[in-house]
Amino acid sequence: MQTEWIDTFLDLLDSRSFNRTADRMGVTQSTISARIKALEDAVGARLFQRSRAGTEPTTEALRLAPHARILRQEWTLARRSVEKRGAIALTLRISIQNDLAHAQLGPLVGDLRKLLPQTAFYIEPDYSTQMCADLITGTQDFGVMFSPKAQPSLYFESVGAIPYRLISTHARTLAEVEPDRYVMAHFSPVFEAAHRAALPALSAAPVSAGQSSAVESLLREMGGSGYVMEPRAKAMVATGGFAWVTGAPVLDQPVYAAMHERNRTQRAYRQMVQLVRARLAAPTA
């Protein structure tokens, strides 16, 4: 079985169009058809039904899909294991929640390089949903995220929480916060639920954003009030123009380490989990 058959099958499963898959893979439609036919012959089952309405996977295709993803992931890992890297023994692809990147990325990578000196790292800030998808396919090895998405092949472990504080350009107390000048933070479903429970009157704000940097930019441009990750909030208050809103609750955002289930007991991964936990627990300036 050729790996291009698997790649074509998974792409077609997503696109539901032989033409679209051909365009995305840069080959002809006849090539896509030939690959799917070869895969069908290899597994002994019809995988797609074509009609004027489009292309639909058969029951057999849906059953094959999780195994195909594992095969592609294993092949990716196999290729990485034999790449020439000089003194580098291992390459790890690590993703980190976008909102954590500003404060944590530099210190975290520094810690990782000390912990695993013969390892090369590729670091990519991203959102939780994409990180989970990349961990399943093997394009990422380890993630630090806000919102774990339960999957049979993924393992998640709590590593701490990040505090967010309410600051304002005009309000000094919670009673002075103006709802029409409030920027609602949507960092994760958990954060949003905690916010709605604690501050229901501010949860229908006219402007919302999904990152501390976006909230900061909006507040600097328009003025108003909003929750920002505590280190950024401290810096904004220290430089002037912003003040703490007294009486406002501190809202904590849980953070999780994520990896493929099979890696959960490997020594390097356990060390990374402990490192991230220690880094998040370290006091911030």
Side-chain angles (χ1 to χ4, degrees), residues 2 5 21 56 65 77 81 85 95-96 111 124 151 165 167 170 188 202-203 225 240-241 247 255 262 267 273 280:
Q2 300 182 35
W5 299 354
T21 288
E56 291 297 325
L77 294 174
S81 69
R85 305 186 186 95
S95 50
I96 184 171
D111 290 345
E124 185 173 0
Q151 298 282 349
R165 300 281 301 275
I167 59 174
H170 66 280
S188 75
L202 296 177
S203 295
S225 310
V255 182
R262 68 162 166 267
R267 184 169 182 267
V273 170
L280 293 179

Side-chain angles (χ1 to χ4, degrees), residues 5-17 20-22 24-25 32 48 72:
W5 299 354
I6 296 297
D7 291 337
T8 302
F9 167 72
L10 291 173
D11 193 281
L12 186 57
L13 198 66
D14 174 68
S15 73
R16 307 295 173 92
S17 167
R20 193 174 301 121
T21 288
R24 297 203 303 202
M25 301 191 76
I32 298 300
F48 293 95
R72 184 168 67 178

Side-chain angles (χ1 to χ4, degrees), residues 104 159-162 274-284:
Q104 298 291 342
V159 289
I162 296 293
Q274 296 305 320
L275 185 151
V276 173
R277 182 176 285 116
R279 171 53 57 187
L280 293 179
T284 55

Side-chain angles (χ1 to χ4, degrees), residues 26 45 48 62 79 83 98 131 138 154 166 185 205 210 229 264 274:
F48 293 95
L62 297 177
R79 286 191 304 172
E83 289 176 353
N98 271 306
M131 281 192 267
L154 296 184
L166 184 59
M229 188 181 293
R264 62 181 294 184
Q274 296 305 320

Side-chain angles (χ1 to χ4, degrees), residues 110-165:
D111 290 345
L112 286 170
R113 294 192 66 189
K114 292 177 183 177
L115 175 69
L116 302 168
Q118 289 187 302
T119 300
F121 296 97
Y122 173 81
I123 313 294
E124 185 173 0
D126 214 330
Y127 290 99
S128 299
T129 298
Q130 187 60 50
M131 281 192 267
C132 289
D134 289 343
L135 288 168
I136 291 172
T137 61
T139 54
Q140 295 289 338
D141 300 304
F142 185 83
V144 182
M145 65 181 64
F146 284 171
S147 302
K149 306 294 182 183
Q151 298 282 349
S153 58
L154 296 184
Y155 172 73
F156 303 97
E157 186 168 331
S158 174
V159 289
I162 296 293
Y164 285 78
R165 300 281 301 275

Side-chain angles (χ1 to χ4, degrees), residues 46-68:
R46 184 76 177 270
L47 298 176
F48 293 95
Q49 297 286 353
R50 301 174 71 174
S51 68
R52 291 182 179 180
T55 301
E56 291 297 325
T58 63
T59 300
E60 289 77 11
L62 297 177
R63 291 173 181 165
L64 177 63
H67 302 285

Side-chain angles (χ1 to χ4, degrees), residues 132-250:
C132 289
D134 289 343
L135 288 168
I136 291 172
T137 61
T139 54
Q140 295 289 338
D141 300 304
F142 185 83
V144 182
M145 65 181 64
F146 284 171
S147 302
K149 306 294 182 183
Q151 298 282 349
S153 58
L154 296 184
Y155 172 73
F156 303 97
E157 186 168 331
S158 174
V159 289
I162 296 293
Y164 285 78
R165 300 281 301 275
L166 184 59
I167 59 174
S168 179
T169 58
H170 66 280
R172 299 299 179 267
T173 67
L174 188 57
E176 294 174 334
V177 174
E178 301 174 17
D180 62 345
R181 299 184 66 191
Y182 185 72
V183 178
M184 172 66 185
H186 288 271
F187 302 127
S188 75
V190 170
F191 185 92
E192 184 179 353
H195 185 284
R196 291 186 184 280
L199 302 165
L202 296 177
S203 295
V207 178
S208 61
Q211 288 181 267
S212 279
S213 58
V215 175
E216 176 182 350
S217 178
L218 291 167
L219 293 179
R220 290 190 184 280
E221 180 66 26
M222 304 186 306
S225 310
Y227 272 89
V228 180
M229 188 181 293
E230 188 171 66
R232 294 299 305 151
K234 287 181 179 179
M236 293 169 71
V237 170
T239 55
F242 293 91
W244 302 111
V245 177
T246 60
V250 177

